[in-house]
Amino acid sequence: MKQIDKKVADAYFRERVRLIVIFLIIWFIVSFGVVMFAESFKNMTFNGFPFHYFMGAQGAVATFIILLFINAKVSDNIDKKYGISEEKNEQLSAGKALDH
Amino acid sequence: MDTQFLVSLSIIIASFALYIGIAIYNKAKETSDFYVAGRGISPFSNGMAIAADWMSAASFIGMAGTIMLLGYDGLAYIMGWTGGYLLLTFLLAPQLRKYGRYTVPEFIGDRYESHTARMIAALCTIIISFVYSIGQLSGSGVVIGRLLEVDAKVGTMIGVVLIAFYAAFGGMKGITWTQVAQYVILIIAYLIPVVFMSLQLTGNPIPWLSYGKIVGEFQQLDQQLGISQYTDPFLKGSKWQFLALMFTLMAGTAGLPHVIVRFYTVSTMKAARWSGAWALLFIGLLYLSAPAYAAFSRFILIKNVVGQKISELPAWTEKWINTGKLQIADANGDGILQWQEMVISNDIVVMATPEIANLGMFVIGLVAAGAMAAALSTAGGLMIAISSSFAHDIYYRILRPNASEQNRLLVARISIVAATVLAGLVALNPPGVITQIVAWAFAIAASTFFPALVLGVWWKRSNAAGAIAGMLVGLAVSLGYILAAKYGGFSVAGIVDTGAGIFGAVAAIAANVVVSLMTKEPSQSVQEEVYDLRYPEQMTYKDGQVWMR
């Protein structure tokens, strides 16, 4: 076990949090944002749908799925950048399994 | 007994044989396996298990119908039941996995260092899962009742026996792999009818791309019929109700104990993130298809049923009229069915679709098996959540800390049977339609666990008094609002009972923050544990320093 610079650890945390904040802003806009202004999208059409209906039925859900995969991938890259090894993580969590 | 009955029954029995076979194969021996499947299921498989756990009778049977009846307003369910996975995967799942406990009440009890908080959390788990399982049981009643052509009540009782049997028998380990199988069956059963309908109506087999055209056509059709526009927003409730319901479903998703516990079955924080992503992809397959179902069914109803002579309606209508789920009354006595003269229960749209589209006996049977898979898989997960709260959190952690493993397993099994039977009794006379009952469970989860978990993970200053106050206030406000809105006609900004979660969540967060700040900060070790959740497993926070292992 070796000590690492607190600044490095904080930088790791900040990167992850920034990612989450960006994703949650997008999440909010495609769902709550579109609903709030649904009436103004009524006359736009997309693939046959009125735009507000398309967002509710498909657009928002597809965005959610894509965001989750981007999050998983980008977080993996951040882990790599900070030298986190998944094997080591697995080993550590296995050891942490509760004994009761 | 006709051929259809025999075909449906054999498909259902074959699928059950598969589930039970898997359960026997994995028969849980130790309690650690019983609750969290002996950690280490791949994110891909876990994603499927989460999806099966998640997609309940309400999703499978009720949602397409709800959207068909509510139009745009029904889409709050689509966005709400998918968007919650972002809150869960970003804010809670990896951190809870690192903290490493068996159940949600255990996290709350240990994080807040309080047996009172643990007890309240265990009770909330039981309340939420219990309310939710009422919806599942009444859903399985609809399916079994239709299949055996018996009353839905008798169907519910048969469902109770089935669920109690295999949840008590297999435990979580059996259930994980059973749920993977259930996911595969339910998604195939859900997609086949909608693909064929898409082909029949638009010539394009990919419903997600083709139904936009149908939705576009409604504008004219609705005008001709003189009914309100299908895609016009906020016709069935206020905009605030839409937003409140969507928030309730999202926050509730992130606070549902039987879903969170699924993230304890993966090996690491990284695996938890991937599990969330796979889960939403698998869930999305169904949720993206439900509005297509709604659009196609509505189109067929307008084209082939409405405007026909009542004496010459298609043959499939008769069976559903017999179950009381489809009501037709010739109000103006002209012998022709008008749109307004038809009352459709939203619970029948998916079940009736294969008959409407004339897809043959095999598909009808498959859809019945898929609906049973959805109801049983969710009910199974809920029963595990109830029994673990009782046997593990209340019995073992509070009442009898030195109970033997055998003894705890016995208590777990007894509590599964008791909870299933009780929920079944309530489901005999369900207090609302499936989607509505389920939304209540989400409102309570959004008001109790969501605030306690998010603050517990992200704010180290939050303490026992705050968490207890938050959960109690959230529970009181959400339950109070549901009752006042449903039975007292009370509402704020047009928000009805299903949107109660927004009030509960806000009140609970406020109570947690205010009471926490007014009382002593949590112990140093707990604060360090919370700080530690910022980092992956390999980094540890200790005494103000970060260590790499």
Side-chain angles (χ1 to χ4, degrees), chain B residues 352-368:
Chain B
T353 294
E355 299 166 43
I356 297 173
N358 221 345
L359 295 179
M361 289 191 278
F362 181 77
V363 177
I364 296 176
L366 189 63
V367 171

Side-chain angles (χ1 to χ4, degrees), chain B residues 284-538:
Chain B
L285 279 179
L286 188 141
Y287 282 61
L288 289 170
S289 311
Y293 253 109
F296 293 143
S297 300
R298 189 170 192 271
F299 188 77
I300 291 176
L301 282 174
I302 291 179
K303 287 283 188 184
N304 301 350
V305 179
V306 171
Q308 303 288 316
K309 287 206 182 94
I310 286 183
S311 52
E312 291 170 14
L313 290 178
W316 62 265
T317 50
E318 197 193 312
K319 282 179 188 160
W320 289 104
I321 292 172
N322 290 343
T323 61
K325 295 286 181 182
L326 178 67
Q327 288 164 29
I328 283 167
D330 189 12
N332 58 4
D334 61 358
I336 290 173
L337 182 67
Q338 267 88 35
W339 181 264
Q340 292 86 345
E341 293 173 345
M342 186 169 57
V343 180
I344 311 163
S345 156
N346 57 5
D347 296 343
I348 72 167
V349 169
V350 170
M351 296 297 296
T353 294
E355 299 166 43
I356 297 173
N358 221 345
L359 295 179
M361 289 191 278
F362 181 77
V363 177
I364 296 176
L366 189 63
V367 171
M372 286 306 297
L376 293 184
S377 62
T378 306
L382 291 166
M383 289 307 151
I384 294 284
I386 291 179
S387 79
S388 59
S389 278
F390 187 74
H392 187 78
D393 301 313
I394 296 180
Y395 183 74
Y396 173 60
R397 293 294 302 265
I398 298 175
L399 296 179
R400 285 266 194 88
N402 47 10
S404 72
E405 239 173 53
Q406 260 178 328
N407 188 297
R408 278 144 53 198
L409 204 51
L410 182 71
V411 173
R413 297 209 156 118
I414 292 173
S415 53
I416 284 183
V417 174
T420 319
V421 170
L422 269 180
L425 286 177
V426 181
L428 290 179
N429 279 307
V433 296
I434 301 173
T435 350
Q436 191 183 23
I437 300 174
V438 168
W440 297 337
F442 280 77
I444 302 170
S447 312
T448 53
F449 285 141
F450 179 66
L453 292 172
V454 169
L455 291 171
V457 165
W458 290 90
W459 191 43
K460 61 184 192 304
R461 183 65 181 78
S462 177
N463 63 17
I468 293 167
M471 286 191 288
L472 290 179
V473 166
L475 189 63
V477 170
S478 57
L479 280 180
Y481 198 91
I482 291 170
L483 293 175
K486 180 155 171 74
Y487 300 106
F490 175 80
S491 82
V492 176
I495 297 172
V496 296
D497 53 343
T498 49
I502 182 84
F503 300 108
V506 170
I509 291 173
N512 191 323
V513 170
V514 170
V515 175
S516 288
L517 288 177
M518 276 164 38
T519 47
K520 210 164 118 301
E521 61 180 340
S523 74
Q524 199 55 36
S525 65
V526 161
Q527 294 200 37
E528 273 190 359
E529 273 177 8
V530 176
Y531 210 92
D532 186 54
L533 298 180
R534 296 174 163 205
Y535 310 116
E537 284 90 347
Q538 219 181 331

Side-chain angles (χ1 to χ4, degrees), chain A residues 10-29:
Chain A
D10 283 348
Y12 173 89
F13 179 64
R14 258 201 312 277
E15 261 186 75
R16 296 284 336 279
V17 169
R18 197 178 53 208
L19 203 60
I20 291 172
V21 169
I22 294 171
F23 290 152
L24 286 181
I25 290 171
I26 301 175
W27 163 81
F28 186 85
I29 292 172

